[in-house]
Amino acid sequence: MNVEKLRLCASVEERHWWFAARRRIVRDLVSALVPPSKSSLVVDVGCGTGGNSGELSGDYRCIGIDASPDAVTLARERFPRATFLCGTFDSLGTLAAETRVVLLMDVLEHVQDDFEFFSKIAAAIPPGAHIVITVPAGVDLWGQHDLASSHYRRYDVQRLERVWSGLPFTSLLSSPFNSRLYPLVKLARSVNARLGRSSGEAGTDLHVPVGFVNNALLKVFGGESSVLRQALVEKRARAFEFGVSLIAVLRREAGEIAVRTKPAGLAPDLHDPLAAR
């Protein structure tokens, strides 16, 4: 993501209904997995401008990692309580073995080989650690926002689950979410596709609505947190049948993991951001 879009994210991340609701959902799920404690390490991989790390840093020992120096600089300025590193998960070194929760918040869609990326992280964390993943869902929602955000793909449940299939993980939750607003998002994306535009700045859909609309959208989306947490507690894999995004919660089990790459036979990605440069 270029500097322009990083600065845009930083400017709207704290207020925008989507970011704020997702932070609420992730915070509630993480606290259900690991009780808040400064001795528990949460690692936010692909942390961007730091919103999720900042949200959790009051209750956990939190490290955000991003490959973009510009993103890390913005994150450090905004959230001094959290620690931010520029690099990959390998940058943790021996701290990887202390990790209790890894966050992959809308990261995999930015990675050319998501199988390799995930398996490297999975191989480094200890048994009993958890990984929480969110990704955009639905090829039918693909649009200008995805192109501007350098996405390779959007996911369905089956494609996402293939990323960890065959590895020593127990899937505690694998479900669509942002379900209640799906009809509105679908309508907006359809209109934008016909008009060849996006809803926000810099070709993205990032735009903070007027206060009462933003608050209403936050309440509707953020209200899904209790449903997702209940599904996790009750060991129900699905909380919703459809949604704008997907969320997964995985527990690492004992067993060796070899780094692997994308298997043959996958549907081709929808876009190659590297070729588009």
Side-chain angles (χ1 to χ4, degrees):
M1 192 177 291
N2 62 33
V3 177
E4 178 190 12
K5 293 186 179 66
L6 287 170
R7 293 191 184 280
L8 174 60
C9 284
S11 70
V12 304
E13 190 174 27
E14 291 186 57
R15 297 175 292 128
H16 192 282
W17 62 269
W18 184 83
F19 288 105
R22 191 185 62 166
R23 286 196 299 271
R24 179 186 301 176
I25 289 166
V26 171
R27 181 194 64 213
D28 288 349
L29 290 179
V30 169
S31 67
L33 296 169
V34 178
S37 170
K38 283 294 190 176
S39 65
S40 295
L41 176 60
V42 176
V43 181
D44 183 10
V45 179
C47 65
T49 55
N52 294 303
S53 303
E55 176 77 12
L56 294 170
S57 62
D59 294 323
Y60 298 92
R61 181 187 179 195
C62 199
I63 298 177
I65 301 174
D66 203 281
S68 166
D70 295 311
V72 170
T73 297
L74 287 167
R76 286 172 175 165
E77 291 173 354
R78 298 171 68 219
F79 304 106
R81 289 190 302 181
T83 299
F84 294 97
L85 304 176
C86 185
T88 65
F89 195 78
D90 294 340
S91 306
L92 280 178
T94 57
L95 284 176
E98 300 178 23
T99 303
R100 299 292 305 279
V101 179
V102 174
L103 302 181
L104 295 174
M105 300 289 97
D106 288 81
V107 170
L108 294 180
E109 68 272 16
H110 294 276
V111 179
Q112 187 173 38
D113 192 333
D114 48 345
F115 285 75
E116 180 181 35
F117 183 87
F118 179 87
S119 60
K120 284 182 177 180
I121 294 171
I125 62 176
H130 294 86
I131 300 181
V132 181
I133 303 169
T134 60
V135 293
V139 173
D140 59 327
L141 294 177
W142 180 268
Q144 180 59 40
H145 175 82
D146 297 282
L147 296 173
S149 301
S150 299
H151 292 174
Y152 282 89
R153 67 195 76 85
R154 297 181 76 93
Y155 289 80
D156 58 27
V157 172
Q158 292 73 30
R159 173 62 174 81
L160 179 59
E161 291 179 344
R162 286 198 66 174
V163 172
W164 64 82
S165 177
L167 301 181
F169 280 91
T170 297
S171 178
L172 305 178
L173 182 68
S174 180
S175 176
F177 78 127
N178 198 356
S179 179
R180 296 167 176 171
L181 293 174
Y182 175 85
L184 289 177
V185 175
K186 171 67 173 173
L187 176 61
R189 288 287 174 94
S190 297
V191 170
N192 286 340
R194 287 198 297 271
L195 297 177
R197 69 182 189 187
S198 64
S199 297
E201 301 176 45
T204 73
D205 288 341
L206 295 179
H207 168 73
V208 181
V210 295
F212 74 93
V213 175
N214 193 63
N215 291 338
L217 294 172
L218 168 58
K219 185 175 181 179
V220 172
F221 181 22
E224 293 186 6
S225 179
S226 60
V227 180
L228 290 162
R229 181 165 179 153
Q230 191 65 25
L232 181 67
V233 170
E234 294 177 355
K235 301 181 180 179
R236 290 185 285 112
R238 298 284 181 93
F240 301 97
E241 292 303 315
F242 56 87
V244 180
S245 299
L246 303 177
I247 189 164
V249 179
L250 312 174
R251 183 177 65 233
R252 171 73 153 95
E253 308 295 355
E256 295 297 317
I257 294 179
V259 175
R260 61 186 187 174
T261 57
K262 269 186 181 179
L266 287 177
D269 290 333
L270 298 171
H271 177 57
D272 184 349
L274 296 178
R277 290 179 180 174

